[in-house]
């Protein structure tokens, strides 16, 4: 789960990291009022769950309140990488002398967190990593010790942080590491970390992504959860108890059992197609469950054909067939259905489906090939 910049900054501020004064707004008038209350100049910043807002025109400096209002009018409703801006964060502008990068993520090879610091901040850190890898200093704290003071100072030396800011930056790195651990974060980033003209150091931006599997022990952060339009199906599926993962292909997939569904994804891939989702209805799925699963897959506008792959053990073919018939009757899907039924009561199921507007195949590969053909 991703937090917005203003939310991440609140978390950082509570841990002692200096942040510029700011407030959120949802209308141009509120932005104008906030600019006056905070004192000018201000930065007007789009709050969306993607990086690169600056380049997309979602971060603007304003010297007057009228200018702040005008920027707000341009930014509210703006589309940034497919996300619509609904909230703006207005911040007292920093007086920038230098922009640093400070971030922590998981290094899977080392099975540890890696703390990264660079004096080439502000821009795409991925680009710095690719073109000037020597410009990023790294440290891998022992998880039982945390980021020790000496290690944080060594990191500042290696990165080439100016002497006057070394202690401040080392301190922020340690605070950031504590937040990383305390929030079960997968990634935490301050880019840029500003060194201001007066020598003080403040967080110019903040990104915090929390591990979804840890949400049960992060009740406070869970209140920040927003469901994006493309996550609605996943949330609905989760509520119904399905394992559902949205993918970016065109063949909708329904199967029973995680292993079978994974092989179904492979079969579709082998047939030259791409799966639109992973959906496991679980064992013993009844008519209503199959119907609900089909409706979730059908709600994905990318789906061009659906492949239902059922190997009946405790799941009965006749129950599956009834669920499919119910959908055909009630929602009249506009995309073709391909079904492969085998195992328990498969014959009874196939008999029920006789004459229904769908394609039935006896093997998984035949059915996959047919679904891919119909989806293209
Ligand atoms: P991102 O593009 O989504 O990463 O958004 P950032 O919050 O990092 O802002 C992008 C850029 O806007 C920064 O690298 C700065 O150059 C600039 N910027 C952000 N805040 C301020 C500020 O307070 N003052 C000034 N002068 N520039 C800022
Ligand atoms: Mn940034």
């Amino acid at each position: 789960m991703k937090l917005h910049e203003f939310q991440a900054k609140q978390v950082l501020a509570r841990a002692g990291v200096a942040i510029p004064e700011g407030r959120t707004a949802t209308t141009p008038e509120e932005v104008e009022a906030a600019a006056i209350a905070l004192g000018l100049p201000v930065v007007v910043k789009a709050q969306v769950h993607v990086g690169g807002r600056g380049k997309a025109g979602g971060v603007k400096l304003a010297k007057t309140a009228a200018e702040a209002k005008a920027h707000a009018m341009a930014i509210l409703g703006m589309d940034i990488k497919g996300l619509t801006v609904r909230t703006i964060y207005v911040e007292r502008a920093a007086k920038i002398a230098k922009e640093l990068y400070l971030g922590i993520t998981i290094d899977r090879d080392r099975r540890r967190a890696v703390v990264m610091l660079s004096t080439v901040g502000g821009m795409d850190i991925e680009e710095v990593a690719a073109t000037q890898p020597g410009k990023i200093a790294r440290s891998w704290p022992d998880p039982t010790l945390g980021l020790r003071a000496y290690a944080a100072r060594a990191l500042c030396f290696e990165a080439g942080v100016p002497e006057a800011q070394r202690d401040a930056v080392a301190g922020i790195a340690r605070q950031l590491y504590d937040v990383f651990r305390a929030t079960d974060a997968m990634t935490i980033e301050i880019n840029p970390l500003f060194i201001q003209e007066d020598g003080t150091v403040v967080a110019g931006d903040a990104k915090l992504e929390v591990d979804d599997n840890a949400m049960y022990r992060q009740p406070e952060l869970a209140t920040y959860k927003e469901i994006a339009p493309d996550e609605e199906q996943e949330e609905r599926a989760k509520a119904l108890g399905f394992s559902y993962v949205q993918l970016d292909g065109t063949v909708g997939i329904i199967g029973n059992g995680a292993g079978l569904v994974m092989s179904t994804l492979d079969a579709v891939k082998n047939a030259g197609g791409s799966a639109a989702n992973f959906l496991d209805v679980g064992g013993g799925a009844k008519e209503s469950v199959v119907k609900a699963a089909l409706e979730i897959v059908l709600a994905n506008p990318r789906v061009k054909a659906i492949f239902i792959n059922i190997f009946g053990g405790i799941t009965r073919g006749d129950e599956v067939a009834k669920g499919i018939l119910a959908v055909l009757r009630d929602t009249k899907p506009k995309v073709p259905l391909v079904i492969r039924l085998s195992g328990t009561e498969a014959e009874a199921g196939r008999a029920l489906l006789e004459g229904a507007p769908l394609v039935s195949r006896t093997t998984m590969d035949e059915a996959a090939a047919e679904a891919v053909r119909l989806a293209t």
Side-chain angles (χ1 to χ4, degrees), residues 45 52-53 122 189-192 204-207:
K45 311 185 79 176
R53 294 164 304 159
E189 208 176 68
I190 303 178
N191 186 29
D205 188 10
K207 285 197 173 56

Side-chain angles (χ1 to χ4, degrees), residues 179-197:
V179 173
F180 180 83
R181 290 299 301 257
T183 58
D184 290 304
M186 307 216 293
T187 313
I188 191 163
E189 208 176 68
I190 303 178
N191 186 29
L193 177 62
F194 290 134
I195 298 179
Q196 300 198 92
E197 285 163 4

Side-chain angles (χ1 to χ4, degrees), residues 120-347:
V120 189
M123 54 188 283
D124 265 345
I125 196 66
E126 286 82 5
E127 199 183 312
V128 178
T131 57
Q132 320 173 61
K135 289 280 187 189
I136 303 174
R138 293 178 172 81
S139 182
W140 292 266
D142 182 319
T144 61
L145 299 175
L147 182 61
R148 310 305 292 168
Y150 71 87
R153 277 197 301 273
L155 192 67
C156 291
F157 273 106
E158 193 189 330
V161 172
E163 190 181 350
Q165 280 78 37
R166 232 174 257 151
D167 286 349
V169 174
I172 294 171
R174 297 184 70 201
Q175 288 164 332
L176 197 70
Y177 184 82
D178 291 341
V179 173
F180 180 83
R181 290 299 301 257
T183 58
D184 290 304
M186 307 216 293
T187 313
I188 191 163
E189 208 176 68
I190 303 178
N191 186 29
L193 177 62
F194 290 134
I195 298 179
Q196 300 198 92
E197 285 163 4
D198 65 2
T200 56
V201 182
V202 295
D205 188 10
K207 285 197 173 56
L208 173 52
E209 187 168 358
V210 182
D211 187 342
D212 282 324
N213 296 311
M215 290 322 296
Y216 74 95
R217 57 182 194 187
Q218 299 290 345
E220 209 178 316
L221 298 179
T223 62
Y224 291 145
K225 175 101 189 160
E226 285 169 25
I227 298 169
D230 66 335
E231 290 168 347
E232 265 166 33
Q233 279 141 267
E234 288 192 20
E235 291 301 315
R236 254 182 70 204
K238 211 182 285 172
L240 288 164
F242 298 144
S243 306
Y244 177 87
V245 181
Q246 189 141 320
L247 305 168
D248 48 21
T250 55
V251 181
I253 306 238
I254 295 171
N256 62 323
L260 180 68
V261 180
M262 284 196 281
S263 346
T264 310
L265 300 190
D266 289 347
V268 166
K269 190 93 195 163
N270 287 341
S274 56
N277 68 276
F278 173 105
L279 196 162
D280 171 15
V281 291
K286 291 270 184 261
E287 172 185 335
S288 63
V289 171
V290 174
K291 182 166 184 271
L294 254 169
E295 282 165 358
I296 285 170
V297 174
L298 280 167
N300 177 355
R302 276 194 293 262
V303 168
K304 298 278 184 290
I306 298 182
F307 177 11
I308 304 164
N309 190 11
I310 302 291
F311 186 86
I314 38 176
T315 307
R316 298 164 51 112
D318 53 340
E319 287 287 342
V320 172
K322 282 185 212 158
I324 295 168
L325 289 172
V327 173
L328 290 174
R329 186 185 61 227
D330 300 344
T331 44
K332 299 192 175 49
K334 288 182 189 64
V335 302
L337 306 187
V338 179
I339 177 154
R340 176 250 182 174
L341 261 185
S342 72
T344 312
E345 297 296 336
E347 259 144 61

